[in-house]
């Protein structure tokens, strides 16, 4: 073990949307905060898997309502300043309301929001262990190319996407649903050189993929995917290459990503051959990482349930809102949706963000304590900003008071302009 050691009030592991929001929330509550991320940039799935859409900032009603503010709104404002965001986009086919993103602008915007808060980002860093005493985490063990080192703190937030810190600390988790099955993963394709007049309607893509299969193309899975034009360029985002993968296992990830890249090139050839406007298209980027939707779920002090979200439940201990419909992905099939009552929103209780059995650990993002139906809604990026913000403030309240009183957490979130 290296003699190198750091000490903070709050440490957040994982620099995706949930982790960024948690770190900024804790820092804005006055805590010395560290944000640890293994990649060379922040953003998680949005930037590292090229999921260049923020889903869940708005309800799907007509007119839509913004339900995520606070740190998430700060990121949107940074994107506005970069002229990369003006208003959300409603998909004419699904009716879903989303924010379309530019990858580099998103990376930069997240940097600026974190730095402005005073939180310290630490990129290129892996969390590999936890020191637990008397039911609380005293420190975490980290690794970079200098070797191992310790980071001590009074409170922690697990926003890793895989519940890594919760497992390392001895918390209870569940893999996938009750049978251990996970939603399909997708390798996102960024395609350049697409003519402005190209018709991106889903039916046209479905027809040519079906025809290509009849002609002997065997490397294609999904026939009904999503194709969206990205802001500031002629590039399009295409989501077709599906795989089932254990996102915790390097062998499974290796096989899935190589297989999905093979699919991506096959899809490109089909689009070049059959879709007008794609004749000069090229594959600008895949991934870099396959978009893993689901691995572990934390067992929390409370559980967000599917029946509650579908009924648009309101609760007195709410610290976040979710408004994305239940969205379930199986390999090769179009997404299946179930809508929240009135296409409105539901509220998320603080107890679903508190890791059971570990006094000073909260969770955020797709790993929060929820059943499979609730997960299929709450996992999206906009909602992750909201749960991350709440988890960061709860951790900060614990540092200051030794407890996280829900009314105190709500008061601080409101002060930080969260929508609850």
């Amino acid at each position: 073990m290296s003699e190198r050691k750091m000490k903070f009030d709050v440490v957040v592991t994982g620099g995706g949307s949930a982790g960024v929001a948690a770190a900024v929330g804790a820092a804005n509550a006055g805590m010395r905060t560290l944000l640890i991320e293994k990649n060379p940039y922040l953003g998680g799935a949005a930037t590292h898997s090229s999921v260049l859409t923020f889903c869940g900032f708005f309800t799907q009603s007509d007119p839509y309502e913004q339900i995520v503010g606070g740190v998430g709104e700060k990121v949107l404002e940074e994107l506005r300043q970069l002229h990369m965001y003006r208003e959300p986009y409603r998909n004419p086919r699904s009716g879903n309301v989303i924010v379309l993103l530019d990858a580099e602008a998103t990376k930069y915007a997240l940097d600026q929001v974190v730095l402005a808060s005073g939180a310290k980002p630490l990129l290129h860093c892996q969390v590999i262990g936890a020191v637990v005493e008397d039911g609380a985490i005293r420190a975490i063990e980290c690794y970079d190319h200098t070797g191992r080192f310790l980071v001590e703190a009074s409170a922690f937030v697990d926003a890793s996407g895989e519940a890594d810190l919760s497992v390392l600390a001895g918390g209870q988790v569940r893999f996938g649903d009750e049978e251990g099955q996970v939603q399909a993963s997708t390798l996102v394709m960024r395609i350049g050189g697409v003519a402005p007049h190209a018709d991106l309607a889903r039916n046209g893509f479905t027809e040519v993929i079906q025809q290509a299969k009849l002609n002997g193309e065997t490397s294609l899975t999904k026939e009904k995917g999503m194709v969206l034009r990205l802001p500031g360029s002629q590039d399009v985002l295409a989501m077709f290459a599906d795989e089932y993968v254990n996102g915790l296992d390097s062998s499974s990830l290796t096989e899935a990503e190589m297989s999905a890249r093979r699919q991506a090139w096959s899809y490109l050839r089909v689009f070049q051959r059959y879709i007008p406007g794609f004749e000069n298209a090229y594959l600008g980027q895949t991934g870099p990482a396959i978009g893993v939707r689901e691995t572990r779920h934390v067992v929390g002090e409370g559980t967000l349930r599917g029946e509650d979200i579908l009924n648009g439940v309101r609760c007195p201990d709410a610290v976040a809102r979710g408004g994305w419909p239940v969205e379930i992905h199986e390999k090769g099939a179009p997404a299946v949706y179930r809508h929240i009552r009135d296409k409105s929103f539901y509220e998320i209780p603080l107890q679903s963000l508190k890791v059971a059995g570990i006094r000073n650990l909260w969770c955020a993002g797709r790993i929060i304590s929820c059943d499979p139906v609730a997960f299929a809604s709450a996992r999206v990026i906009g909602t992750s900003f909201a749960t991350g913000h709440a988890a960061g403030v709860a951790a900060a309240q614990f540092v200051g008071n030794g407890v996280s009183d829900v009314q105190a957490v709500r008061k601080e979130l409101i002060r930080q302009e969260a929508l609850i």
Side-chain angles (χ1 to χ4, degrees):
M1 174 72 69
S2 168
E3 294 299 318
R4 185 174 162 206
K5 186 180 292 186
M6 300 180 182
K7 189 168 185 178
F8 290 85
D9 297 319
V10 175
V11 171
V12 179
T13 62
S17 55
V20 165
V24 174
N28 285 341
M31 297 298 126
R32 292 172 299 129
T33 303
L34 178 68
L35 174 61
I36 296 174
E37 167 56 42
K38 64 183 179 181
N39 290 312
Y41 43 77
L42 302 171
T47 54
H48 197 58
S49 297
S50 295
V51 183
L52 296 175
T53 54
F54 284 165
C55 302
F57 267 86
F58 302 87
T59 63
Q60 309 309 296
S61 57
D62 189 10
Y64 56 77
E65 176 184 358
Q66 184 167 348
I67 55 170
V68 176
V71 181
E73 176 58 28
K74 289 180 183 293
V75 175
L76 294 185
E77 182 55 35
E78 285 290 334
L79 291 171
R80 288 187 188 97
Q81 295 300 317
L82 295 169
H83 305 291
M84 284 297 179
Y85 171 68
R86 288 190 300 173
E87 59 184 7
Y89 167 81
R90 188 185 288 273
N91 188 314
R93 295 178 292 279
S94 67
N96 290 337
V97 181
I98 60 178
V99 176
L100 292 173
L101 302 173
D102 172 82
E104 294 307 315
T106 303
K107 293 176 189 176
Y108 182 73
L110 293 168
D111 286 350
Q112 297 314 298
V113 170
V114 170
L115 293 172
S117 74
K120 176 181 173 59
L122 188 61
L123 306 177
H124 302 279
C125 182
Q126 292 267 20
V127 178
I128 60 173
V131 180
V132 179
E133 296 176 355
D134 300 323
I137 302 174
R138 182 179 67 81
I140 57 174
E141 186 181 2
C142 300
Y143 176 84
D144 63 15
H145 292 299
T146 68
R148 300 180 181 186
F149 59 96
L150 281 180
V151 181
E152 297 178 346
S154 299
F156 296 82
V157 176
D158 185 347
S160 63
E162 323 301 344
D164 289 336
L165 179 56
S166 298
V167 170
L168 291 170
Q172 186 178 351
V173 298
R174 182 190 81 241
F175 183 85
D177 62 17
E178 289 89 345
E179 285 77 41
Q181 301 299 310
V182 296
Q183 289 204 30
S185 299
T186 302
L187 186 71
V188 179
M189 305 161 57
R190 182 169 181 152
I191 303 175
V194 179
H197 66 265
D199 185 358
L200 304 185
R202 172 185 284 185
N203 289 345
F205 289 89
T206 300
E207 291 172 3
V208 301
I209 292 168
Q210 290 172 341
Q211 184 60 50
K213 285 184 173 182
L214 290 175
N215 293 342
E217 181 58 70
T218 60
S219 297
L220 309 178
T221 51
K222 184 179 289 185
E223 296 176 1
K224 295 183 178 180
M226 184 177 75
V227 184
L228 294 170
R229 195 173 292 277
L230 294 170
S233 74
Q234 292 186 8
D235 291 1
V236 300
L237 192 72
M239 296 186 182
F240 287 91
D242 280 357
E243 297 286 341
Y244 278 127
V245 60
N246 178 348
L248 307 177
D249 179 78
S250 58
S251 294
S252 181
L253 283 164
T254 300
E255 182 179 353
E257 288 180 332
M258 288 186 172
S259 173
R261 280 192 287 272
R262 182 166 58 250
Q263 284 194 61
W265 282 99
S266 295
Y267 278 113
L268 178 67
R269 287 193 296 270
V270 169
F271 298 163
Q272 289 170 329
R273 188 176 305 150
Y274 296 112
I275 301 289
F278 278 73
E279 294 86 355
N280 297 315
Y282 58 89
L283 192 58
Q285 185 184 45
T286 60
I290 194 168
V292 175
R293 291 186 173 89
E294 183 176 17
T295 56
R296 300 184 183 115
H297 306 274
V298 165
V299 175
E301 292 184 354
T303 301
L304 184 65
R305 302 196 178 279
E307 61 189 272
D308 293 332
I309 73 164
L310 289 170
N311 287 319
V313 70
R314 307 293 196 263
C315 50
D317 61 342
V319 291
R321 292 175 176 177
W324 192 253
V326 170
E327 180 185 356
I328 299 173
H329 288 261
E330 296 184 357
K331 183 177 177 179
V336 175
Y337 289 97
R338 295 173 65 186
H339 286 281
I340 302 162
R341 177 178 290 175
D342 300 324
K343 295 188 177 180
S344 183
F345 65 87
Y346 55 90
E347 293 182 333
I348 301 173
L350 181 59
Q351 295 280 57
S352 64
L353 311 182
K354 180 67 187 66
V355 180
I358 304 172
R359 290 200 313 275
N360 62 343
L361 179 60
W362 285 261
C363 62
R366 72 184 189 208
I367 65 172
I368 66 170
S369 183
C370 55
D371 70 16
V373 173
F375 162 75
S377 166
R379 65 177 176 79
V380 297
I381 294 174
T383 312
S384 294
F385 271 112
T387 58
H389 195 179
V393 168
Q397 290 288 327
F398 179 87
V399 175
N401 306 308
V403 294
S404 284
D405 174 74
V406 66
Q407 294 308 319
V409 173
R410 284 173 54 86
K411 182 178 180 180
E412 177 62 19
L413 283 168
I414 292 168
R415 189 190 72 80
Q416 294 189 26
E417 300 182 332
L419 298 176
I420 57 173

